[in-house]
Amino acid sequence: MAAATPLSSLRIAVIHGGPSAEAEVSRVSAAGVAAALVKKGHDVTRFELDEALPGKLVHAKPELVFPVVHGTVGEDGCLQGVLELLRLPYVGAGVLASALANDKVQAKVCFRAAGLPVADELVLRRDGSIEMLAERAFGLSASLVVKPATQGSGLGVTLLPDLESARDERLRAALDAAFALDEAVLVERFHRGREITCGVLHLHGEAPRALPPTEIRARAADWYDFQSRYGKGGSEHLCPAPLGPLTTARVQEVALGAHRALGVRDLSRCDFVVNDTEVILLEVNTIPGMTPTSLFPEAAGVAGTSFEDLCDALARSALARGVRRVNAAAPFPT
Ligand SMILES: Nc1ncnc2c1ncn2[C@@H]1O[C@H](COP(=O)(O)OP(=O)(O)O)[C@@H](O)[C@H]1O
Ligand SMILES: [Mg+2]
């Protein structure tokens, strides 16, 4: 009889790239995850997220899949659906939670239902002239954030804290920029505050655990845009965030609430704006950046888990969960 495969030598497929605007970012994360898993003794192959992927996975027969892809197709439930079809265990959120988290409009419906604090918003579609849409947006507030419903990394996001009128050129430009990336555009009330993010680690069979929150201080721009996120020296991370015990506990409570509200598993990272009076939840990322110096791994490190141990624990979590049995959908969390 063949001996059981030791956990230290799993055949793991790491998925990266894909059609989203964040493909290059994901390749950097995937290289980090692959290197960490190899250090743990696993047999790792990296695969590009493209139409040849299902065939390649059938041929390679990995024991589990570790998706390290952001945005469209990779993080929005599509890849997860393919992995369900192929009956391969995979790290991270399932189909529904991935789809909900990836769509900021749908995610906010769930957040509100769970009583979580979010910014007021308006959802716009291209059903009128840009002047009309700008009028509707300005009707919400003179202090706005415009963002595409399903992008990430600050792409297509414009902060407009000081609009004077609906005819402000900047508002029209912001709507054009967001509509260039998506059919649906979220216009949110702008909340001034500190940029905070908080990870949740939720390994199979364990209770979800909030990591210490991180404060991000953008350096490359006056807000946390693409350049501040990925440019060298673009931002400074303070983990644990200097928030005080009460605000820290509140951020962690909301992060856990958001993770549960969408039904995420393994890991997630919530973004917030926090000021003296409010903690505002912006979004949940189900596949956060995973280079060794990215926000989630950094916070896990502060909590005492090295990057290698984190990647290994996530792989083991996926393996322990296994594939979903037919007609055994996980109950939606309440
Ligand atoms: N309502 C808001 N008030 C103030 N700042 C915001 C608001 N929404 C977004 N931002 C800023 O824009 C950034 C990107 O927004 P977010 O919703 O996290 O989308 P993504 O990171 O997916 O692009 C945030 O990190 C924050 O700096
Ligand atoms: Mg964000």
Side-chain angles (χ1 to χ4, degrees):
M1 203 172 76
T5 314
L7 272 176
S8 59
S9 61
L10 294 165
R11 251 184 359 270
I12 303 177
V14 170
I15 315 293
H16 66 184
S20 92
E22 297 167 280
E24 266 318 306
V25 173
S26 96
R27 289 194 185 92
V28 180
S29 284
V33 170
L37 292 170
V38 166
K39 266 197 195 149
K40 282 289 186 180
H42 299 300
D43 174 5
V44 182
T45 310
R46 270 182 278 165
F47 293 88
E48 176 69 21
L49 175 60
D50 59 18
E51 57 271 40
L53 177 67
K56 286 182 183 167
L57 288 177
V58 167
H59 184 73
K61 295 191 180 64
E63 280 157 285
L64 71 102
V65 176
F66 201 136
V68 191
V69 273
H70 307 302
T72 311
V73 180
E75 196 177 0
D76 66 3
C78 294
L79 170 61
Q80 290 70 19
V82 168
L83 298 174
E84 296 283 346
L85 180 68
L86 299 179
R87 301 188 61 74
L88 288 170
Y90 56 96
V91 173
V95 174
L96 178 60
S98 299
L100 287 171
N102 192 66
D103 187 324
K104 293 183 171 80
V105 174
Q106 301 303 327
K108 287 184 79 172
V109 172
C110 298
F111 297 156
R112 280 212 179 81
L116 301 171
V118 290
D120 291 342
E121 88 271 3
L122 206 71
V123 181
L124 298 179
R125 289 169 213 281
R126 277 190 187 281
D127 55 1
S129 65
I130 197 82
E131 291 78 15
M132 236 181 69
L133 296 173
E135 283 290 347
R136 279 164 50 196
F138 190 73
L140 176 69
S141 170
S143 204
L144 295 174
V145 177
V146 178
K147 49 179 130 170
T150 61
Q151 282 292 323
S153 289
L155 295 166
V157 178
T158 309
L159 273 52
L160 300 164
D162 58 351
L163 286 167
E164 279 175 10
S165 82
R167 286 173 299 285
D168 194 316
E169 267 310 310
R170 294 172 304 158
L171 179 53
R172 294 181 192 184
L175 290 170
D176 277 336
F179 274 120
L181 297 176
D182 214 310
E183 303 276 302
V185 166
L186 201 58
V187 177
E188 270 185 356
R189 192 184 296 280
F190 173 85
H191 288 263
R192 195 169 294 284
R194 294 154 73 181
E195 182 89 30
I196 302 291
T197 196
C198 183
V200 171
L201 185 59
H202 183 190
L203 301 174
H204 183 70
E206 295 179 15
R209 180 161 68 90
L211 298 177
T214 302
E215 177 169 2
I216 302 151
R217 298 204 179 145
R219 292 262 177 267
D222 55 6
W223 70 287
Y224 194 41
D225 68 350
F226 195 86
Q227 202 46 40
S228 301
R229 293 174 199 228
Y230 306 117
K232 202 169 162 43
S235 63
E236 184 190 349
H237 301 174
L238 285 88
C239 186
L243 289 172
L246 286 181
T247 309
T248 296
R250 176 67 179 147
V251 165
Q252 290 181 315
E253 175 188 53
V254 177
L256 284 167
H259 180 96
R260 285 201 191 93
L262 302 186
V264 185
R265 59 194 190 196
D266 289 341
L267 77 167
S268 69
R269 209 200 71 222
C270 292
D271 294 341
F272 296 90
V273 175
V274 174
N275 58 40
D276 289 344
T277 55
E278 51 190 7
V279 166
I280 301 290
L281 168 64
L282 298 179
E283 62 152 350
V284 171
N285 299 285
T286 53
I287 308 184
M290 284 293 283
T291 70
T293 57
S294 295
L295 293 158
F296 190 100
E298 194 177 60
V302 170
T305 305
S306 72
F307 184 58
E308 285 82 25
D309 285 348
L310 172 67
C311 293
D312 188 56
L314 290 167
R316 285 166 193 252
S317 178
L319 192 76
R321 185 167 50 241
V323 291
R324 189 160 64 154
R325 281 170 293 125
V326 176
N327 292 334
F332 200 67
T334 50

